[in-house]
Amino acid sequence: MKAYIRDIVNGTWSLLVGMTITIRYFFGPVVTLQYPHQTVPMKPRFRGHIDLVLDERKGTNKCIVCNACMKTCPSGCITLEGEKREGVKQKVLTYYQLDFTKCSLCGLCVEVCPTAALDFSKDYNLVGSQESEFVFDLLKRLEERKQ
Amino acid sequence: MTIDPELLRLLLYLVGFIAFIATNAAYLVWLERKEAGHIQCRIGPKEVGPFGLLQPVADGLKLMTKQLIIPKGADSFLFRLGPVLVMTPAVMCFVTIPYSDTIVARNLDVGLLAIFAFASVNVLGLLLGAWGSRNKYAVISAARVVSQNVAYEIPMLIVIVTMVMVTGTMNLHEVVTTQLGGFWHWNVFRFTASPLMPVAFLIYFVCMLAETNRAPFDMAEAESELIAGAFTEYPGMGFGVFFMGEYANIVVGTSMATILFLGGWDCPFGLWPGLHWFLIKMYALIFTVIWIRWTFPRTTFYSLLNLSWKVLIPVAFANLILTSALLKVL
Ligand code: SF4
Ligand code: SF4
């Protein structure tokens, strides 16, 4: 009988304690980030898909078409083409395709690039309904970014 | 042609009640979501209209545009009857509730009895709806709802009997008038009748939560994460009507708590009694109901029945005996 009453009293008390905790949270500040309207500034180490780096000085990419990135990529997602042009010492990049559906974000291509022409982008808003939407033409993206 | 003023009055009340129940249910859903949000450090609905205030309208439109599907092999008559049988008694309950000294549809002498008579039909509606939908899970859920409701109706009625003894009337208007004149006259604090009065209030409140299938006693439905229990098969507005019925029952339950224990439309300090006090008390109780929902996890079915049969009923009985003894002596 004593244990029965103690159970009831303790139970009721613990329920009340629980309720004081939730009401404190009710009046407490809201911590949600209202995502589409607000975003957190992206951290510098964030690894999105790779992107060509814009060379401020030359106003174009830094790639010398050495093919190192294409060869080192374990998933084989990089395809690139270049051509020799009159009056330019190195080859000029004409096409750079990244198949992001296969990329494992390992970063090997970024590491291996002798001219630091590659970097991770900060783009995380990637959505699409078709696989082909994730095959990027990075050269075109660079041109778009320049404007 | 002249219209019978009595008929007009009834019609006006009916329209008023239904409008009140519908908007109330819609905005209680809004309140529920807001409160849940804030308790979890979120905001809750905010996109549609200021503070998400138009969200219920959007939800309602969505529910109404959904197709009404009746499952193959279901008893279509019972299937349609289910929501009606949940909604109608809830509306009927509003008839005798006095919101203030003057606002009452019908001041019945057996108001209390009428409300509990109507309130118990609600279970029948759920059971028929589940039976009619030809779904085993719905029937099992409905069986749980029924056993839960039966289990909790008993302590609730014992408390009601106690209250009838204390106030000496079943007329809800008179129940309130015996408590007028400040909060120390309210039945929760009427220690001369029984020192266990606040406990009786607590028992009533717990039973009301269980009767309306609210969390933490909502394992028969678990509509927020699992399935909708007895109304699994109901699409669109059929489901919506069940929900409206549920929220209407919460309003009835909290109104009864206000009338029986908290002095109805009486002001706590004996000043300006009126409708506003009734609404303040009622919505404070509804707030608490929602607050409880977002505080406690769902209980198991056994502990739910144990709580009723092993704790609430004995305590309610003890209170009944104590009250009657004290009333005899004092
Ligand atoms: S990050 Fe790795 S997988 Fe992705 S493109 Fe570069 S080398 Fe290939
Ligand atoms: S490793 Fe760098 S420089 Fe070489 S092809 Fe790739 S991006 Fe161009």
Side-chain angles (χ1 to χ4, degrees):
Chain A
M1 189 67 199
K2 224 159 127 194
Y4 173 78
I5 291 174
R6 198 175 50 229
D7 256 13
I8 295 178
V9 172
N10 282 352
T12 317
W13 176 248
S14 70
L15 293 180
L16 287 180
V17 170
M19 287 180 71
T20 50
I21 291 171
T22 41
I23 201 73
R24 264 213 307 280
Y25 276 97
F26 180 79
F27 289 109
V30 166
V31 296
T32 340
L33 186 78
Q34 299 304 313
Y35 166 62
H37 308 296
Q38 299 171 350
T39 44
V40 258
M42 195 40 82
K43 297 283 185 289
R45 300 287 293 172
F46 178 77
R47 284 181 166 204
H49 66 83
I50 56 163
D51 227 348
L52 287 167
V53 173
L54 179 70
D55 189 345
E56 297 287 342
R57 219 156 23 96
K58 287 198 298 181
T60 172
N61 61 74
K62 294 182 182 174
C63 180
I64 51 169
V65 200
C66 68
N67 284 354
C69 53
M70 183 165 81
K71 284 184 212 138
T72 197
C73 177
S75 334
C77 33
I78 297 173
T79 320
L80 59 92
E81 278 161 25
E83 59 178 27
K84 194 84 185 113
R85 276 193 195 152
E86 284 299 310
V88 189
K89 223 160 70 200
Q90 286 116 0
K91 274 185 166 178
V92 178
L93 187 67
T94 52
Y95 181 65
Y96 198 118
Q97 187 201 63
L98 167 73
D99 186 354
F100 192 49
T101 57
K102 294 189 216 150
C103 178
S104 58
L105 296 164
C106 66
L108 288 176
C109 52
V110 178
E111 297 273 324
V112 85
C113 181
T115 55
L118 291 176
D119 199 3
F120 297 108
S121 75
K122 304 273 169 279
D123 196 354
Y124 57 92
N125 280 322
L126 289 172
V127 277
S129 53
Q130 260 145 24
E131 233 175 292
S132 60
E133 287 173 54
F134 295 101
V135 178
F136 305 128
D137 186 343
L138 294 189
L139 207 57
K140 212 164 86 198
R141 285 174 66 97
L142 186 73
E143 294 301 319
E144 276 163 16
R145 245 185 313 148
K146 261 193 335 200
Q147 282 143 28
Chain B
M1 194 186 95
T2 54
I3 302 171
D4 185 4
E6 188 55 32
L7 196 67
L8 196 68
R9 200 175 88 106
L10 280 182
L11 268 180
L12 277 179
Y13 264 111
L14 196 64
V15 171
F17 280 145
I18 290 174
F20 174 70
I21 289 170
T23 42
N24 200 60
Y27 280 92
L28 284 185
V29 174
W30 176 85
L31 180 73
E32 176 120 38
R33 291 175 62 184
K34 274 280 177 203
E35 203 175 323
H38 279 273
I39 283 177
Q40 298 166 352
C41 299
R42 300 183 285 113
I43 295 182
K46 70 183 178 79
E47 290 291 336
V48 192
F51 306 109
L53 272 172
L54 294 179
Q55 187 69 51
V57 181
D59 287 347
L61 282 178
K62 186 188 115 191
L63 282 178
M64 287 213 243
T65 50
K66 280 196 173 174
Q67 191 189 357
L68 261 179
I69 305 163
I70 295 180
K72 208 170 156 195
D75 187 325
S76 81
F77 176 66
L78 289 186
F79 192 75
R80 282 162 213 264
L81 192 66
V84 178
L85 270 187
V86 170
M87 199 62 200
T88 323
V91 178
M92 301 289 269
C93 284
F94 281 87
V95 170
T96 64
I97 295 177
Y99 290 93
S100 82
D101 208 6
T102 46
I103 304 174
V104 54
R106 265 270 173 265
N107 190 12
L108 294 182
D109 273 341
V110 286
L112 205 52
L113 202 60
I115 282 190
F116 285 95
F118 287 131
S120 50
V121 178
N122 155 37
V123 192
L124 184 66
L126 271 168
L127 185 63
L128 285 186
W131 182 257
S133 33
R134 197 162 193 258
N135 178 327
K136 292 182 194 114
Y137 301 106
V139 174
I140 293 170
S141 283
R144 295 177 141 213
V145 171
V146 172
S147 66
Q148 177 176 339
N149 272 267
V150 169
Y152 280 85
E153 209 135 275
I154 298 170
M156 189 181 220
L157 288 178
I158 297 172
V159 170
I160 300 299
V161 169
T162 320
M163 296 320 293
V164 171
M165 280 187 345
V166 170
T167 51
T169 171
M170 278 208 220
N171 183 326
L172 292 173
H173 191 270
E174 278 172 32
V175 170
V176 177
T177 41
T178 56
Q179 304 175 58
L180 290 181
F183 66 87
W184 54 92
H185 290 286
W186 294 357
N187 278 339
V188 226
F189 301 116
R190 192 183 283 203
F191 296 114
T192 49
S194 155
L196 283 180
M197 235 27 170
V199 178
F201 175 61
L202 216 62
I203 294 175
Y204 176 86
F205 199 76
V206 172
C207 292
M208 188 199 78
L209 285 179
E211 282 273 291
T212 48
N213 296 329
R214 288 288 304 194
F217 306 113
D218 63 343
M219 69 286 295
E221 294 169 11
E223 86 289 334
S224 47
E225 48 282 283
L226 305 171
I227 45 156
F231 32 85
T232 306
E233 295 288 349
Y234 281 89
M237 212 50 208
F239 178 76
V241 170
F242 272 115
F243 251 75
M244 248 151 76
E246 185 158 306
Y247 279 103
N249 279 332
I250 294 171
V251 173
V252 172
T254 48
S255 301
M256 293 306 294
T258 309
I259 290 167
L260 286 175
F261 293 96
L262 301 179
W265 62 84
D266 181 37
C267 167
F269 320 106
L271 305 159
W272 310 295
L275 179 63
H276 50 282
W277 277 111
F278 191 95
L279 292 181
I280 288 172
K281 288 171 194 170
M282 189 181 91
Y283 280 109
L285 284 178
I286 291 178
F287 182 88
T288 319
V289 169
I290 298 174
W291 174 15
I292 285 173
R293 169 168 189 180
W294 297 102
T295 303
F296 304 128
R298 186 169 296 133
T299 57
T300 61
F301 203 71
Y302 301 105
S303 52
L304 171 124
L305 292 180
N306 274 346
L307 175 69
S308 170
W309 294 100
K310 291 192 184 162
V311 178
L312 296 184
I313 294 180
V315 175
F317 252 125
N319 185 37
L320 177 72
I321 293 167
L322 191 69
T323 313
S324 51
L326 280 175
L327 281 179
K328 196 84 192 158
V329 173
L330 297 176

